[in-house]
Amino acid sequence: MSKPERTLENLKGGAEILDTLREEFAQWLGEANEEGQREAYENVLGHVDAMVREYAQRLQEAEAQLEAPPGAFGA
């Protein structure tokens, strides 16, 4: 497996984990009873959402690099 392929697979795995975390935190947010709990879960969920977006961008870049002809992105 080439380095770009490994990178792509690692990013896919990370994205899956983040999706799972996002679902769990969203559920916990819905179950939170106290304002402090809700605020904490909202903050964590916002951070996880930002990470999900970052991983999506990295996945797109890795897929584009994998599909590009050799040398298209430089060394």
Side-chain angles (χ1 to χ4, degrees):
M1 181 179 289
S2 69
K3 184 177 179 182
E5 289 171 329
R6 276 193 312 275
T7 299
L8 184 62
E9 290 304 311
N10 287 339
L11 288 168
K12 285 180 181 180
E16 288 177 20
I17 290 169
L18 288 170
D19 284 338
T20 300
L21 280 174
R22 191 200 179 294
E23 289 174 11
E24 288 185 21
F25 283 123
Q27 179 181 349
W28 294 346
L29 174 60
E31 296 171 355
N33 295 322
E34 298 177 16
E35 183 61 31
Q37 285 179 322
R38 285 191 295 274
E39 186 176 336
Y41 286 130
E42 286 171 355
N43 290 338
V44 171
L45 193 54
H47 183 67
V48 172
D49 283 340
M51 293 176 71
V52 166
R53 289 189 299 274
E54 175 66 25
Y55 267 72
Q57 178 65 35
R58 289 181 185 184
L59 269 169
Q60 285 181 333
E61 291 171 1
E63 288 170 343
Q65 186 174 12
L66 197 59
E67 294 170 1
F73 289 95

